[in-house]
Amino acid sequence: MTGLRGTVLERDGAVYRVATPDGVVRAVLRGKVKRDTPHVVVGDRVLLDSEAGSGEVYGIAGVEERRTLLERRTPEGRGTRPVAANIDRVYVVSATTRPDPIPQLIDRLLVVAEANHIPAAVVLNKIDLDPGEVLAARFRKAGYEVFRTTVKSGEGIEALRERLLNHVSVVTGPSGAGKSSLLNAIQPGLTLRTGEISRKIGRGTHTTVSAVMIPLEGGGYLVDTPGFSEVGVWDVDPRHLDECFPDMRPFVGGCRYGDCRHMSEPGCAITQAAERGVIDTDRLESYRMLLAELEGQPKEWE
Ligand SMILES: Nc1nc2c(ncn2[C@@H]2O[C@H](COP(=O)(O)OP(=O)(O)OP(=O)(O)O)[C@@H](O)[C@H]2O)c(=O)[nH]1
Ligand SMILES: [Mg+2]
Ligand SMILES: [Zn+2]
């Protein structure tokens, strides 16, 4: 006898909310699954026991292999923690102002998506306060799809909603960028909590505390995540970091030395492309910062 299959929407302590063909049910991890997959996350496809136990709570009997996994670094900086599974698109959300955008941070989040082989796009929100055209041009030139939005007038929301349909997408980005506000604007009837921007530090106040997956009217899912205060890259082989930059990709392999790190080596095709203005020097700078970080960080086995 086989049980229900479903998708994890949210976790509340030890209890998971799971969407099944029979509706949303509550479930907890059973012993063996708990040992094999201690961190069941939003987006995980799970198999439930055929019958609910006491209090209408099902047991999670198995977790399907994940197609993709988005991870973040643990606050201690060592090791990673899964955030969401089976995501097929990442939207990096940044405000155009309040809080001030940090292009380098957006680059980092884009690299995390690329490293997980998940296509990524950029959302520049709060265009009612600042049009964000310069920033939009920076990311378009790098090869990313860019959405400019505001929840105040609703400009840009429809274009984003159309792209989200029938996909499993996640929004990520700094606290206060307006991720939850965007989701509320995209999905009528949704009432995710949104927070103020601290006057004192000019940053968001970490209003969203855990990932939650929202079924979209018309098909697809959208995952809201807490804003990151610190984002590291990890599990990326420094030798393949260049491939995580779509604007560098066409030049990878064109350097004089096969093991070129694109720092100051002679005959570097990527440095030359930056000198010609084909690649933004600012983006190359992001690459070099991340490379230094990756090469400096202790490996798992050290
Ligand atoms: N002017 C303006 N303010 C916005 C816009 N979108 C969101 N805000 C405001 O920005 C603040 C932060 O919005 P949230 O949606 O809570 O931001 P968040 O990215 O979910 O933040 P965390 O949950 O902390 O990661 C709130 O006060 C929103 O009202 C917008 O398009 N324009
Ligand atoms: Mg939020
Ligand atoms: Zn090179």
Side-chain angles (χ1 to χ4, degrees), residues 179-180 193 207-208 224-225:
K179 300 178 293 299
S180 300
R193 219 158 69 78
T207 307
T208 305
D224 190 13
T225 66

Side-chain angles (χ1 to χ4, degrees), residues 125-126 128 150-151 175-181 194-195 206-208 227:
N125 188 38
K126 310 199 188 184
D128 53 301
T150 167
V151 304
S175 180
K179 300 178 293 299
S180 300
S181 305
T194 61
H206 296 283
T207 307
T208 305

Side-chain angles (χ1 to χ4, degrees), residues 27-289:
V28 292
L29 288 179
R30 292 270 181 259
K32 185 179 166 351
V33 176
K34 209 170 189 163
R35 277 193 306 277
D36 296 347
T37 321
H39 299 293
V40 169
V41 291
V42 162
D44 263 323
R45 298 273 309 155
V46 294
L47 178 66
L48 302 176
D49 290 341
S50 46
E51 273 171 50
S54 63
E56 282 304 296
V57 177
Y58 285 81
I60 295 176
V63 181
E64 283 180 26
E65 200 182 320
R66 294 161 171 162
R67 278 186 296 111
T68 60
L69 183 63
L70 201 67
E71 298 175 294
R72 66 182 294 182
R73 192 151 66 174
T74 54
E76 311 83 60
R78 294 185 75 89
T80 58
R81 182 68 56 87
V83 175
N86 303 318
I87 298 299
D88 50 41
R89 279 190 193 158
V90 172
Y91 290 83
V92 178
V93 181
S94 167
T96 53
T97 181
R98 276 192 251 165
D100 279 338
I102 306 170
Q104 242 88 38
L105 174 65
I106 303 173
D107 288 341
R108 270 168 190 266
L109 291 166
L110 291 168
V111 164
V112 171
E114 297 276 343
N116 286 292
H117 307 287
I118 310 174
V122 177
V123 179
L124 301 176
N125 188 38
K126 310 199 188 184
I127 57 168
D128 53 301
L129 301 177
D130 182 313
E133 296 285 10
V134 174
L135 208 54
R138 179 189 190 273
F139 290 104
R140 286 202 178 108
K141 185 177 172 188
Y144 291 102
E145 188 173 11
V146 177
F147 297 85
R148 291 171 56 256
T149 59
T150 167
V151 304
K152 293 289 171 199
S153 72
E155 194 184 334
I157 301 290
E158 197 47 49
L160 184 56
R161 182 189 287 130
E162 270 171 32
R163 288 298 268 141
L164 296 170
L165 273 187
N166 299 317
H167 290 277
V168 183
S169 314
V170 63
V171 291
T172 158
S175 180
K179 300 178 293 299
S180 300
S181 305
L182 275 172
L183 266 67
N184 284 339
I186 285 161
Q187 181 64 63
L190 198 63
T191 51
L192 294 174
R193 219 158 69 78
T194 61
E196 295 304 311
I197 304 302
S198 151
R199 269 178 211 289
K200 220 162 84 201
I201 54 173
R203 275 191 256 139
T205 43
H206 296 283
T207 307
T208 305
V209 291
S210 62
V212 54
M213 190 170 216
I214 289 124
L216 288 175
E217 209 169 279
Y221 290 95
L222 187 49
V223 178
D224 190 13
T225 66
F228 300 102
S229 51
E230 176 229 350
V231 186
V233 285
W234 51 82
D235 282 357
V236 182
D237 183 337
R239 287 169 302 180
H240 295 302
L241 181 65
D242 50 10
E243 287 156 28
C244 295
F245 284 73
D247 36 353
M248 293 189 187
R249 234 176 266 146
F251 303 98
V252 170
C255 304
R256 185 178 303 165
Y257 301 111
D259 60 351
C260 186
R261 293 158 61 247
H262 326 306
M263 295 301 276
S264 55
E265 295 90 339
C268 172
I270 284 172
T271 305
Q272 285 164 4
E275 279 162 7
R276 290 200 310 277
V278 183
I279 296 173
D280 268 356
T281 45
D282 195 45
R283 288 271 299 167
L284 180 55
E285 219 28 67
S286 270
Y287 162 84
R288 287 176 172 165
M289 270 171 53

